[in-house]
């Protein structure tokens, strides 16, 4: 059973702080990893993807990947109340499907 | 916009009824995926199409679930004899080509169909 583990939260951070979201996965064959944001009642929207070990930065977002440790993280700098949502970690499976964790609920307090 | 379109947005069914959920992917997208998302959970994979070929249906929970994509474009997910445990949001996603490189793998999701079985 391929598994993706995320802390369900809620993770509460003050506005302007750094939010750190973590994810571990069991399938060593996964080569690419996706972070989706999902607002309540809405569909997932892609935030970032990463496939090489190390860091990848895009604006206020940084994704980090360590394949040896089977660990992926997402950092959100200068967190805004509009970042309040559930963040879903999703490694890509061998058939191309995404394997989602349960998500971490982030709350950014003004 | 030319995003993934799903219909209906909401469906209420009586237990035992059959339902059909429709997905219209982004034009030109070869790969199409169906996911089921229960309340408070992440989406779970149901099935995957590459053009009209159903390459993986390992996530379909029972033989009451059936999906098709006869012309390689629009897809329909059919649930026969619905049960209360089928109540969930059904998400459809498409990508340029799930068999190729990383950029072509990016999946774009529709708004989903919320199914409630009474």
């Amino acid at each position: 059973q391929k598994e993706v583990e995320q802390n369900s939260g809620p993770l509460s951070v003050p506005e302007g702080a750094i939010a750190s979201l973590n994810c571990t996965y069991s399938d060593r064959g996964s080569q690419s990893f996706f972070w989706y944001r999902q607002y309540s009642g809405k569909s997932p929207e892609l935030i970032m993807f990463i496939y090489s070990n190390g860091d990848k930065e895009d604006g206020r977002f940084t994704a980090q990947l360590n394949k040896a440790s089977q660990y992926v993280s997402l950092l959100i700098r200068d967190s805004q109340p509009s970042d309040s949502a559930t963040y879903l970690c999703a490694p890509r499976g061998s058939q191309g499907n995404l394997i989602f964790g349960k998500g971490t609920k982030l709350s950014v307090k003004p | 916009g030319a995003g993934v379109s799903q219909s209906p947005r909401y469906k209420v069914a009586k237990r035992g009824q059959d339902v059909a959920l429709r997905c219209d992917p982004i034009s030109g997208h070869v790969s199409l995926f169906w996911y089921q998302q229960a309340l408070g959970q992440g989406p779970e994979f149901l099935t995957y199409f590459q053009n009209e070929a159903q390459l993986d249906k390992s996530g379909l929970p029972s033989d009451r679930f059936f999906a098709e994509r006869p012309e390689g474009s629009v897809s329909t997910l059919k649930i026969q004899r619905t049960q209360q445990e089928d109540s969930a949001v059904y998400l459809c996603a498409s990508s340029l080509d799930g068999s190729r490189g990383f950029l072509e793998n990016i999946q774009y999701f529709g708004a989903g169909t919320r199914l409630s079985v009474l």
Side-chain angles (χ1 to χ4, degrees):
Chain A
Q1 178 81 358
K2 298 183 175 68
E3 294 185 347
V4 178
E5 299 288 337
Q6 293 184 257
N7 187 330
S8 62
L11 172 65
S12 184
V13 301
E15 184 175 356
I18 296 175
S20 177
L21 306 164
N22 304 315
C23 171
T24 58
Y25 60 95
S26 64
D27 184 7
R28 286 194 172 275
S30 292
Q31 295 297 313
S32 52
F33 303 84
F34 299 80
W35 282 98
Y36 282 82
R37 176 176 64 196
Q38 188 172 31
Y39 292 112
S40 181
K42 302 295 185 182
S43 60
E45 57 176 325
L46 182 70
I47 297 295
M48 289 193 71
F49 67 93
I50 187 168
Y51 48 84
S52 297
N53 278 327
D55 296 357
K56 179 182 177 183
E57 187 175 319
D58 184 2
R60 295 186 298 113
F61 299 94
T62 299
Q64 298 174 318
L65 173 61
N66 184 326
K67 290 183 182 178
S69 300
Q70 295 173 255
Y71 174 86
V72 193
S73 68
L74 180 70
L75 299 177
I76 307 174
R77 290 181 298 281
D78 189 24
S79 295
Q80 302 297 309
S82 58
D83 295 327
S84 298
T86 296
Y87 289 80
L88 298 163
C89 169
R92 179 177 179 265
S94 58
Q95 288 293 333
N97 59 292
L98 296 173
I99 306 166
F100 285 92
K102 290 186 178 180
T104 298
K105 187 172 184 178
L106 173 66
S107 177
V108 181
K109 304 294 186 184
Chain B
V4 178
S5 177
Q6 291 188 248
S7 62
R9 288 295 315 280
Y10 304 92
K11 177 70 179 176
V12 179
K14 291 184 180 178
R15 191 159 54 98
Q17 277 186 331
D18 297 349
V19 298
L21 313 180
R22 176 188 167 106
C23 173
D24 200 339
I26 294 172
S27 178
H29 278 198
V30 168
S31 302
L32 185 146
F33 303 82
W34 283 99
Y35 295 87
Q36 179 191 60
Q37 187 172 24
L39 191 63
Q41 304 294 314
E44 289 197 6
F45 169 72
L46 294 177
T47 188
Y48 160 50
F49 289 87
Q50 187 80 346
N51 294 303
E52 69 278 5
Q54 188 174 21
L55 298 187
D56 188 349
K57 55 181 181 179
S58 62
L60 295 177
S62 77
D63 58 8
R64 296 186 295 104
F65 286 70
F66 171 77
E68 60 183 4
R69 193 185 185 198
E71 297 178 358
S73 176
V74 171
S75 176
T76 303
L77 177 67
K78 298 180 180 178
I79 309 173
Q80 297 176 323
R81 305 182 302 282
T82 52
Q83 304 294 314
Q84 284 189 320
E85 62 263 28
D86 300 335
S87 296
V89 175
Y90 290 85
L91 294 165
C92 176
S94 70
S95 68
L96 268 172
D97 189 337
S99 67
R100 297 178 62 187
F102 299 112
L103 290 179
E104 290 87 349
N105 283 337
I106 295 173
Q107 294 184 27
Y108 299 91
F109 284 81
T113 294
R114 183 177 297 277
L115 173 65
S116 298
V117 181
L118 306 178

